[in-house]
């Protein structure tokens, strides 16, 4: 039998491929085709591309036929399909096959179609793995088949040769040549029995290949397959299919072992909200995928249909469905009520979780969970982020504060160095919160439930002996498509099959409940879930990062000043405007937009969106501040508005005061070898190359640097794969120090201006030391025209620090500066928000930024270090990259960014400086000082939001957190009256029955390290 094994396996493979599958559909009649090509020039609001079905169905269609070309990249063609049902086939099961020119490629990365009935009702989607259209009472009510197909000519961005630079990723540069040809359009007999035989044979042959040579079950299966193939007559497959199936009945009925691994399968279609397609196209992908799922749930009568359930994440995508396909949304809503279509995840999109700020991360849950609650009455309890590029250590606390308790991802299986040691565990965040977490061992979020994938899940599962249960999301994903009827057939055959894991379709919540009950003392993983891959996403498309950072802080300001003005100056709080802006910012945090890994079209639109967001928020902030500043009849003066959560220059946090005069004190003077910047705290020597030869802390009487600082370094940046995503470690093997200056000169009494050129690019830098300041301000403007290069800015510090601290949401994270273990070494590029800080006992230095997220912090010797000198810690900011795929013009152009080197600082100093750089003061002509609505007496307790409650009750909501990693006591006082104050979750729902007690008109707060607290002041302003 051993010698026959391969013979039988090859025989079944060829028989399936060349004969049986080809016979499932037998053509009985051709279709008459006509077409209307959408004019790409249609840009008006009503009929801009993509057009509505109502508009498209009313157009004049021209004759078309199989073989006709259609579709320039990103174009749309509408096909009208008409055909008479032959009387001889009127009692048979019929299906139309309509092939738009699909190649042998996974769904979602190629041409796609949506099928509509003649009244404009959605029927189902078409893709390379789903080319059939049912012929039934919906499509052929009187014996005449008629549908319309909206065909999207989405181009294949990645060529067969790999990820090569291409201009096809933007409609502005993609060209006008048609990409596709219609290859098939006919009415067919569908042989359901033969289709079921194919599923039987596929399931068993896949299982046999996964069993060991020594396993008798393998040979029992092969013998059964051989008998089945012997029975079938390849010239009469339709007549002999039932006989062939009968030979497999017994082998398919043999049950799985009681100890077999258990897999909970759930239908899914991970749809990237933008990636190798624009947002516009994602709206249609959501419609096509949802239509396919609804059709399977409502009309599939083949095997596997009865148990089918489907989970969909990303509230934004369901909101699109509501807005653009309302009739389909209503069908989805009914299936949700039945528990068959299941909202999961509870976030607005599946965002990047490294770069979004504190409030933005919270609002992802607020907007996502609220949509599911308001539209469906569903409280999602699991976080669903299968494809995001690493996970912030702040997430467990945020998840819990949002009312969720489980977390799922698959992405950490992509680690390139260290295999993650668990599949089910408790994940502990920076504040100590733990979340029950699962990584599906099937190692994909788009399983097809093949025998190979199910066997891999069972073999790979790392909790053997302690747990026996895992999850497998199945369905075509990334570009959408979802489950197919073939996948459902595999699910029913693998439900209880000897030699295979036991499989059942069930909701993610049911899986998590069962897994948690089974595994009551799982291991704990503390800290971030760092992805050892895609490290370039902290830097790629720098303007995305800056737009996001600026939008987050403008939203903070808009809410703060609108709330202050609403409670004290009769200002109308802009609920609708803020709501829409938040949703747009959250959408742009999707994990292929904010990380910079989408096509050019996506990033072009993101830049336009960020500009519009900034303009809208500036208008709101200006209106609110003017309403506050004009609150007195006193003569007008100039007020300074301080939005930051800490006092600065005599202006309390969240208040406005008359501006104090600023003496024009000189801190800059020329020296023989360069320039000197000096005030009462710092003395900074700048040499003739524009490098910092010394940063001397006069207060502590110590040198800050271990080598030349302010050093720009240029590296080659050509990773082995995934250009926009990856920075590979070998980039460090080669570096060019950019030390040549074109010129350097004074820029007033406190600043130095310099310019350096390299290649086709240039850097202009302004260095300023203000009187009385311990931070050195660095404004950087780069004209960037390099290709496949990485630009770094280095500051070697004379500080012996084994760890660096990087700001993350609601706190900070410490990471090693050494490479003692493979886990340490893999973190050669890290993410930080507003600051990175290194410290030895008693002394620290921080690098502050206003929109740069990528860094490396290491114990390497500085350039020019003296022999025997200790390494210290070097902070390097990743300024710009220049990958060529998927956007060949990534980051080309002029960029502006701000940094500050803060000497002699602790973490709290870095927190203050980070907020102040990102929330610059505003100066407004007015007459009255503005008092803060809320005041705190401990700077370690930071307010991240002041806003009116989302339910429009007029209640005030304040969110705050402990920022330094220690326990903190603080008094919170208010400048308004209120009925009571309640602690709430992120959705502003009370988490305790009792109101918080007050002492002498103030709240006494006691916070644990990094604790996040949301307070709701009921009846604010009364």
């Amino acid at each position: 039998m051993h010698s026959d094994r391969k013979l039988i396996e090859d025989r079944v493979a060829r028989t399936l491929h060349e004969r049986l599958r080809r016979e499932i559909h037998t053509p009985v009649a051709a279709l008459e085709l006509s077409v209307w090509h959408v004019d790409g020039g249609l840009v008006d609001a009503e009929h801009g591309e993509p057009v509505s079905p109502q508009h498209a169905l009313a157009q004049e269609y021209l004759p078309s036929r199989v073989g006709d070309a259609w579709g320039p990249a990103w174009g749309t063609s509408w096909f009208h399909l008409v055909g008479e049902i032959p009387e001889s086939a009127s009692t048979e099961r019929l299906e139309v096959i309509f092939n738009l020119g699909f190649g042998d490629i996974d769904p979602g990365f190629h041409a796609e179609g949506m099928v509509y009935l003649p009244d404009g009702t959605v029927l189902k989607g078409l893709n390379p793995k789903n080319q059939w259209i049912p012929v039934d009472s919906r499509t052929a009510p009187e014996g005449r088949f008629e549908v319309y197909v909206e065909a999207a000519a989405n181009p294949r961005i990645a060529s067969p040769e790999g990820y090569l630079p291409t201009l096809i990723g933007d409609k502005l540069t993609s060209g006008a040549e048609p990409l596709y040809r219609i290859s098939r359009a006919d009415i067919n007999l569908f042989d359901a029995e033969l289709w079921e035989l194919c599923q039987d044979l596929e399931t068993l042959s896949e299982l046999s290949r996964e069993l060991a040579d020594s396993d008798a079950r393998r040979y029992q299966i092969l013998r059964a397959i051989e008998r089945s193939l012997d029975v079938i007559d390849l010239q009469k497959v339709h007549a002999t299919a039932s006989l062939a199936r009968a030979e497999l009945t017994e082998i398919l009925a043999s049950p799985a072992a009681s100890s077999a691994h258990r897999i909970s399968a759930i239908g899914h279609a991970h749809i990237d909200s933008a990636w190798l397609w624009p947002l516009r196209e994602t709206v249609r992908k959501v419609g096509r995928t949802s239509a396919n799922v609804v059709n399977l749930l409502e009309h599939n009568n083949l095997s596997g249909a009865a148990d089918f359930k489907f989970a969909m994440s990303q509230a934004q995508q369901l909101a699109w469905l509501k807005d653009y396909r309302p009739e389909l949304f209503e069908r989805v809503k009914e299936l949700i009520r039945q528990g068959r279509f299941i909202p999961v995840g509870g976030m607005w999109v599946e965002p990047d979780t490294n770069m979004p700020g504190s409030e933005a991360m919270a609002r992802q849950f607020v907007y996502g969970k609220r949509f599911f609650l308001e539209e469906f009455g569903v409280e999602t309890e699991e976080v669903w982020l299968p494809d995001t590029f690493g996970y912030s250590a702040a997430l467990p606390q945020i998840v819990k504060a949002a009312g969720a308790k489980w977390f799922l991802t698959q992405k950490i299986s992509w680690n390139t160095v260290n295999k993650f040691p668990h599949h089910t565990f408790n994940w502990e965040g920076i504040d100590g919160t733990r979340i029950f977490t699962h990584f599906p061992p099937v190692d994909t979020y788009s399983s097809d439930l093949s025998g190979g994938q199910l066997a891999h899940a069972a073999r790979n599962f790392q909790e053997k002996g302690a747990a026996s249960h895992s999850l497998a999301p199945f369905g075509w994903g990334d570009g959408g498509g979802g489950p197919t009827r073939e996948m459902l057939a595999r699910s029913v055959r693998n439900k209880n099959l000897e030699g295979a894991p036991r499989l059942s379709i069930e909701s993610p919540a049911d899986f998590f409940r069962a897994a948690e009950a089974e595994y009551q003392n799982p291991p704990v993983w503390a800290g971030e879930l760092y992805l050892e891959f895609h490290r370039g996403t902290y830097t790629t498309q720098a303007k995305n990062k800056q737009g996001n950072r600026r939008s987050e802080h403008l939203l903070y300001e808009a809410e703060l000043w609108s709330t202050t003005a609403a409670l004290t100056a009769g200002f109308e709080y802009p609920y609708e405007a803020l709501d829409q802006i938040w949703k747009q910012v959250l959408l742009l945090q999707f994990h292929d937009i904010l990380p910079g890994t989408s096509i050019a079209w996506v990033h072009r639109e993101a830049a336009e969106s960020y500009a519009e967001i900034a303009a809208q928020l500036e208008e709101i902030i200006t209106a609110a501040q003017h309403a506050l500043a004009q609150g007195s009849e006193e003569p007008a003066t100039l007020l300074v508005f301080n939005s930051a959560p800490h006092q600065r220059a005599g202006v309390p946090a969240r208040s406005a005061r008359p501006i104090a005069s600023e003496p024009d004190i000189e801190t800059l003077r020329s020296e023989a070898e360069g320039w000197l910047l000096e005030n009462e705290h710092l003395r900074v020597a700048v040499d003739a190359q524009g490098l910092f030869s010394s940063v001397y802390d006069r207060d502590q009487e110590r040198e800050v640097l271990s080598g030349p600082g302010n050093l720009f370094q240029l590296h080659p940046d050509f990773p082995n794969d995934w250009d926009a995503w990856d920075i590979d470690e070998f980039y460090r093997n080669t570096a060019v120090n950019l030390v040549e200056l074109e010129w350097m000169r004074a820029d007033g009494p406190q600043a130095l201006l310099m310019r350096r050129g390299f290649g086709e690019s240039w850097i202009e830098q302004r260095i300023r030391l203000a009187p009385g300041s311990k931070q050195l301000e660095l404004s950087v403007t780069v004209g960037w025209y390099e290709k496949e290069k990485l630009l770094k800015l280095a500051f070697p510090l004379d500080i012996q620090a084994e760890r660096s601290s990087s700001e993350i949401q609601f706190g900070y994270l410490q990471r090693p500066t050494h490479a003692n273990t493979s886990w340490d070494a893999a973190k050669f590029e890290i993410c930080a928000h507003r600051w990175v800080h290194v410290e030895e006992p008693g002394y620290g230095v921080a690098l502050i930024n206003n929109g740069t997220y990528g860094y490396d912090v290491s114990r390497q010797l500085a350039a020019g270090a003296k022999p025997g000198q200790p390494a210290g810690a070097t902070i390097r900011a990743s300024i710009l990259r220049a990958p060529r795929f998927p956007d060949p013009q990534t980051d080309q152009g002029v960029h502006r960014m701000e940094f500050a080197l803060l000497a002699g600082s602790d973490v709290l100093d870095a927190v203050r400086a980070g907020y102040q750089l990102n929330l610059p003061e505003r100066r407004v002509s007015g007459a009255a000082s503005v008092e803060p609505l809320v005041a705190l007496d401990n700077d370690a307790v930071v307010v991240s939001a002041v806003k009116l409650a989302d339910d429009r009750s007029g209640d005030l909501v304040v969110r705050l957190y402990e920022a330094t990693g220690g326990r903190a006591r603080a008094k919170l006082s208010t400048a308004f009256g209120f009925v009571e104050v309640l602690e709430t979750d992120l959705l502003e729902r009370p988490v305790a029955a009792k109101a918080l007690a007050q002492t002498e008109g103030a709240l006494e707060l006691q916070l644990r390290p990094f604790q996040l607290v949301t307070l709701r002041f009921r009846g604010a302003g009364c």
Side-chain angles (χ1 to χ4, degrees):
M1 183 63 193
H2 287 272
S3 61
D4 295 340
R5 186 191 68 222
K6 187 175 187 306
L7 195 65
I8 298 171
E9 290 172 346
D10 290 347
R11 181 185 176 191
V12 70
R14 184 183 182 195
T15 303
L16 281 166
H17 176 66
E18 294 187 14
R19 295 301 179 86
L20 301 189
R21 293 194 194 102
R22 295 169 187 259
E23 296 288 339
I24 292 172
H25 289 95
T26 304
V28 294
L31 289 173
E32 179 183 333
L33 301 182
S34 56
V35 65
W36 173 63
H37 301 293
V38 179
D39 181 359
L42 290 173
V43 294
D44 62 280
E46 183 180 358
H47 299 140
E49 190 179 0
V51 302
S52 69
Q54 291 72 26
H55 179 76
L57 270 56
Q59 302 307 304
E60 179 181 356
Y61 283 65
L62 300 177
S64 182
R65 61 185 179 183
V66 172
D68 280 0
W70 68 280
W74 308 114
T76 302
S77 297
W78 285 75
F79 291 93
H80 187 199
L81 282 59
V82 178
E84 297 296 330
I85 308 301
E87 286 190 16
S88 60
S90 60
T91 60
E92 303 292 331
R93 177 163 180 167
L94 302 173
E95 290 182 350
V96 160
I97 297 296
F98 187 48
N99 190 318
L100 294 168
F102 301 125
D104 185 17
I105 187 173
D106 290 347
F109 300 91
H110 204 262
E112 299 177 68
M114 175 75 101
V115 184
Y116 296 86
L117 298 177
D119 63 0
T121 301
V122 166
L123 184 68
K124 70 182 295 286
L126 297 176
N127 62 51
K129 305 296 184 182
N130 206 328
Q131 302 177 26
W132 58 275
I133 306 171
V135 179
D136 56 21
S137 60
R138 297 170 294 169
T139 57
E142 297 179 357
R144 182 175 183 270
F145 178 84
E146 182 180 14
V147 299
Y148 290 83
V149 174
E150 176 191 25
N154 299 335
R156 184 175 182 180
I157 302 297
S159 74
E161 291 77 31
Y163 283 0
L164 301 179
T166 175
L167 295 176
I168 208 169
D170 194 330
K171 193 168 185 177
L172 300 180
T173 58
S174 58
E177 292 300 313
L179 300 181
Y180 302 109
R181 290 184 182 275
I182 301 300
S183 64
R184 183 173 176 182
D186 47 35
I187 301 171
N188 296 264
L189 293 175
F190 174 77
D191 190 334
E193 186 71 358
L194 180 58
W195 182 88
E196 298 282 8
L197 172 62
C198 288
Q199 313 315 311
D200 292 344
L201 288 169
E202 285 178 349
T203 298
L204 289 171
S205 62
E206 288 169 356
L207 174 58
S208 73
R209 291 175 186 271
E210 297 303 321
L211 297 174
D213 282 344
S214 59
D215 193 330
R217 171 69 169 167
R218 181 173 194 175
Y219 300 100
Q220 293 168 0
I221 291 171
L222 290 172
R223 288 300 188 199
I225 289 174
E226 188 174 43
R227 292 193 299 270
S228 178
L229 295 178
D230 287 345
V231 165
I232 198 162
D233 185 334
L234 295 182
Q235 277 65 53
K236 299 177 181 178
V237 294
H238 303 289
T240 54
S242 292
L243 295 174
R245 289 198 73 197
E247 295 296 332
L248 303 174
T249 301
E250 183 177 350
I251 204 75
L252 283 167
S254 182
S258 59
S259 60
H261 182 70
R262 293 179 296 160
I263 295 177
S264 294
I266 182 66
H268 185 51
H270 172 67
I271 303 177
D272 286 311
S273 289
W275 181 27
L276 304 181
W277 45 86
L279 288 164
R280 178 205 85 177
E281 195 55 33
T282 313
V283 174
R284 297 202 287 186
K285 286 176 177 289
V286 169
R288 289 188 286 260
T289 298
S290 298
N292 275 339
V293 170
V294 168
N295 187 66
L296 280 176
L297 286 166
E298 292 179 344
H299 297 285
N300 182 32
N301 59 2
L302 297 169
S303 58
D307 296 332
F308 179 38
K309 291 183 175 67
F310 178 80
M312 186 169 179
S313 66
Q314 305 192 73
Q316 170 69 88
Q317 295 188 359
L318 284 159
W320 280 331
L321 200 64
K322 180 182 180 182
D323 292 341
Y324 293 96
R325 294 289 179 266
E327 80 288 349
L328 182 58
F329 180 78
E330 290 303 315
R331 292 160 70 188
V332 166
K333 199 167 184 177
E334 172 57 24
L335 290 165
I336 290 173
R337 188 192 66 78
Q338 297 173 17
R340 303 176 69 200
F341 197 116
I342 303 165
V344 294
M347 303 180 81
W348 189 246
V349 294
E350 291 181 10
D352 179 85
T353 75
N354 286 309
M355 290 176 284
S358 302
E359 272 305 304
M361 202 74 259
R363 303 298 174 95
Q364 286 285 353
F365 288 95
V366 170
Y367 279 89
K369 293 200 67 165
R370 183 167 290 134
F371 182 88
F372 291 149
L373 283 165
E374 291 177 354
E375 294 293 339
F376 314 124
V378 172
E379 174 89 34
T380 52
E381 294 186 302
E382 70 292 302
V383 179
W384 190 272
L385 292 175
D387 191 31
T388 297
F389 311 146
Y391 305 92
S392 165
L395 266 181
Q397 178 177 206
I398 299 172
V399 168
K400 184 177 180 181
K405 56 185 180 182
W406 303 309
F407 183 84
L408 177 138
T409 183
Q410 176 270 324
K411 201 67 171 186
I412 302 299
S413 70
W414 286 39
N415 274 6
T416 55
V417 178
N418 300 286
K419 181 177 174 63
F420 196 82
H422 311 295
H423 283 109
T424 304
F425 58 99
N426 275 330
W427 179 23
E428 182 176 292
I430 55 173
D431 75 315
T433 297
R434 293 180 178 180
I435 296 294
F436 189 78
T437 299
H438 181 67
F439 294 173
V442 69
D443 281 349
T444 176
Y445 48 76
S446 300
S447 173
D448 60 7
L449 300 184
S450 65
Q453 290 184 352
L454 298 180
H456 174 76
R459 286 193 300 266
N460 189 38
F461 187 59
Q462 300 200 73
E463 321 308 321
K464 294 183 184 74
S468 62
H469 204 171
S470 70
L471 185 71
F474 69 93
W476 293 107
D478 287 331
T484 63
R485 56 191 184 185
E486 289 77 17
M487 295 176 192
L488 299 186
R490 292 186 190 115
S491 75
V492 73
R493 285 162 175 79
N494 283 286
K495 194 170 186 177
N496 189 18
L497 181 62
E498 184 185 353
R502 288 181 291 165
L503 185 146
S504 59
I505 293 180
E506 58 186 354
S507 72
D510 286 343
F511 159 75
F512 273 111
R513 278 190 284 267
E516 203 168 22
E518 177 190 47
Y519 202 15
Q520 296 187 24
N521 189 29
V524 175
W525 182 271
E528 70 181 326
L529 297 173
Y530 179 92
L531 179 63
E532 297 173 357
F533 207 43
H534 292 359
R535 302 168 182 88
T537 57
Y538 313 144
T539 304
T540 307
Q541 299 285 358
K543 289 184 179 178
N544 275 15
K545 278 66 171 172
Q546 293 174 326
N548 175 72
R549 178 76 67 82
R550 188 69 183 129
S551 297
E552 291 178 346
H553 288 83
L554 287 172
L555 275 162
Y556 166 84
E557 289 189 88
E559 290 183 339
L560 169 65
W561 298 122
S562 294
T563 303
T564 306
L567 291 184
T568 63
F571 184 75
E572 184 176 351
Y573 193 82
Y575 288 104
E576 291 294 341
L578 291 172
D579 184 73
Q580 292 306 311
I581 293 169
W582 263 118
K583 288 176 179 176
Q584 184 66 11
V585 170
L586 298 178
L587 169 59
L588 294 174
Q589 291 177 340
F590 178 75
H591 66 252
D592 278 307
I593 302 179
L594 180 54
T597 52
S598 291
I599 55 174
W601 188 344
V602 174
H603 299 304
R604 172 170 56 82
E605 290 189 332
E608 294 166 358
S609 294
Y610 281 130
E612 183 178 350
I613 287 166
Q616 292 173 330
L617 290 172
E618 290 287 359
E619 184 177 341
I620 292 171
I621 293 165
T622 298
Q625 289 183 335
H626 281 172
L628 289 164
Q630 305 304 322
S632 169
E633 296 181 359
E634 295 296 321
T637 184
L638 201 60
L639 298 178
V640 173
F641 278 77
N642 176 23
S643 303
H646 305 100
Q647 176 177 303
R648 64 176 164 195
V651 182
R654 300 173 294 278
S655 75
R657 293 288 187 271
I659 188 170
S661 61
E662 298 177 352
D664 204 17
I665 299 173
E666 183 177 277
T667 60
L668 174 69
R669 67 176 184 270
S670 62
E671 296 275 300
E673 299 298 324
W675 296 82
L676 190 69
L677 288 154
E678 186 173 20
N679 65 12
E680 57 268 49
H681 300 296
L682 295 178
R683 183 168 65 244
V684 181
V686 182
D687 68 18
Q689 294 179 316
L691 304 180
F692 300 162
S693 57
S694 172
V695 175
Y696 186 78
D697 186 331
R698 299 177 67 183
D699 298 331
Q700 298 294 320
E701 298 182 340
R702 62 173 290 170
E703 176 60 45
V704 173
L705 300 179
S706 62
N710 193 43
L711 175 63
F712 288 93
Q713 296 180 294
L714 193 65
H715 296 273
D717 185 20
F718 188 64
N720 287 340
D721 206 348
W722 300 97
D723 293 21
W725 291 257
D726 282 0
I727 292 176
D728 283 345
E729 188 174 12
F730 54 73
Y731 86 89
R732 299 186 295 189
N733 295 348
T734 306
V736 175
N737 293 332
L738 304 179
V739 296
E740 297 298 323
L741 275 183
E742 293 182 4
W743 48 258
M744 180 165 53
R745 62 173 180 257
D747 186 31
Q750 301 167 0
L752 187 61
L753 196 63
M754 64 187 75
R755 179 183 173 104
R756 47 183 101 240
F758 57 99
E760 300 298 318
S761 304
W762 50 266
I763 300 170
E764 287 189 0
Q765 194 175 20
R766 186 175 189 268
I767 313 297
R768 177 176 180 260
L769 181 62
S773 177
K774 292 205 70 171
Q775 71 178 28
L776 195 59
E777 301 169 17
L778 303 97
S779 299
V780 180
T781 303
V782 184
W784 183 244
Y785 303 101
E786 303 304 299
K787 298 291 186 182
E788 295 166 344
K789 294 290 194 295
L790 170 63
L791 181 63
K792 291 265 189 177
L793 176 57
F795 295 92
L797 304 173
D798 189 13
I799 291 179
Q800 294 300 305
E802 290 192 0
R803 299 176 185 85
S804 65
S805 298
S806 302
E807 188 186 37
I808 61 173
Q809 300 92 350
F810 302 114
Y812 64 87
L813 178 68
Q814 292 189 320
R815 301 182 180 97
T817 59
H818 55 70
N820 285 359
T821 71
S822 59
W823 293 88
D824 301 332
K827 296 180 181 180
F828 59 81
E829 186 79 5
I830 61 174
C831 185
H833 286 194
R834 286 168 289 229
W835 51 267
V836 175
H837 184 260
V838 292
E839 185 174 14
E840 63 187 28
Y843 196 85
V845 175
L847 183 62
I848 317 298
N849 73 83
N850 77 335
T852 299
Y853 293 87
Y855 296 86
D856 67 89
V857 185
S858 64
R859 296 165 66 87
Q860 65 183 30
L861 281 171
K866 297 176 182 178
Q869 180 177 329
T874 295
I875 299 176
R876 296 201 309 162
S878 297
I879 304 293
L880 290 165
R881 299 186 67 217
R884 301 182 66 200
F885 183 89
D887 177 1
Q889 297 300 316
T890 298
D891 279 331
Q892 303 297 286
V894 177
H895 301 264
R896 296 175 178 85
M897 53 202 74
E898 300 287 333
F899 296 93
L901 190 68
L902 181 59
S905 61
D906 58 20
V907 161
L908 185 53
D909 294 325
V911 172
R912 292 190 194 97
Y915 274 106
Q916 290 174 5
L917 181 62
N918 285 271
L919 290 167
E921 64 180 32
R922 293 174 180 268
R923 300 186 177 192
V924 179
S925 177
S929 294
V930 178
E931 298 302 320
L933 287 179
V934 294
L936 288 154
D937 66 353
N938 186 342
D939 277 2
V941 179
V942 175
V943 171
S944 67
V946 177
K947 60 187 288 293
L948 292 188
D950 289 344
D951 62 8
R952 307 192 182 190
S953 62
D955 292 353
L956 176 70
V957 172
V958 176
R959 190 144 35 243
L960 47 83
Y961 67 101
E962 197 289 315
T964 67
R967 296 181 183 268
R969 301 172 69 93
K971 285 186 179 181
L972 185 152
S973 56
T974 65
F976 57 91
F978 55 90
V979 175
E980 63 179 357
V981 59
L982 303 168
E983 185 176 351
T984 73
D985 65 8
L986 295 181
L987 276 71
E988 301 166 10
R989 303 174 297 190
V991 295
K994 289 185 177 181
L996 298 177
Q998 301 174 57
T999 302
E1000 298 179 353
L1003 290 177
E1004 295 275 0
L1005 300 176
Q1006 297 187 43
L1007 277 70
R1008 300 184 309 276
F1010 300 126
Q1011 184 181 355
L1012 164 64
V1013 176
T1014 304
L1015 302 175
R1016 179 169 183 152
F1017 294 82
R1018 289 190 57 248
C1022 66

